[in-house]
Amino acid sequence: RAGVDQATPWLAQEFAQGDGLDALLRKRTRPTVDAVVGLVSRIADALDAGAADGWTHGALHPRDILVTPDLDTVAITGVGIAHVVERAGFRAPRRRPYVAPERIAGHGWDARADLYSLAVIALELIGTRRASSGGHLPVATVLDEAGLDIERWSRALTRALAEDPAQRFQTAREFADA
């Protein structure tokens, strides 16, 4: 649940145990590609479940994704708060490079903004370095360095990272399946 009490935005959610995905990204060793696909799938399902109930994140960042050490359980924190903050007349966080272009431009947004963020996070998980705050990791370079099928992976990631939300997958699950 989220709301505004006398111009103060608030968010209440269940307790979730785990480490932020940002801690995993800071480690020098990355999960296997199979583990990344599984993790992205679980995050996609969580995002789609929230979207089905009318809740989107809008400022998804690796520290908002809690994972258990075995990477089998994920929880997303902060879902809904960006909408509440904006309804209260404040600017919600826009943490680059994770935030979708439509959010940076101040336009309306929906669940496809979270899909964009998930694609940036997936690219970081696959690669060996973090995206800088000023831009993204080059998709083909990351895939080549990881030894992956550039054509197949690039199609999915490039579509999920499209500037125009209408060109992206319509759900996070579609992205995870691709």
Side-chain angles (χ1 to χ4, degrees), residues 5-56:
D5 182 20
Q6 299 179 14
T8 302
W10 59 270
L11 171 69
Q13 57 190 29
E14 70 180 89
F15 174 77
Q17 190 166 353
D19 292 322
L21 189 57
D22 59 324
L24 178 66
L25 288 168
R26 283 193 301 268
K27 292 182 179 178
R28 292 190 183 260
T29 58
R30 297 296 173 104
T32 65
V33 172
D34 288 341
V36 169
V37 169
L39 184 58
V40 167
S41 291
R42 285 185 278 289
I43 296 167
D45 289 342
L47 290 172
D48 284 349
D53 287 338
W55 292 98
T56 52

Side-chain angles (χ1 to χ4, degrees), residues 25 30 61-62 96-98 119-121 123-125 127-138 142:
L25 288 168
R30 297 296 173 104
H61 184 280
R96 290 183 186 243
Y98 306 100
V120 174
I121 292 167
L123 196 56
E124 282 191 31
L125 283 165
T128 57
R129 58 185 174 211
R130 272 188 105 162
S132 68
S133 63
H136 301 292
L137 294 170
V142 171

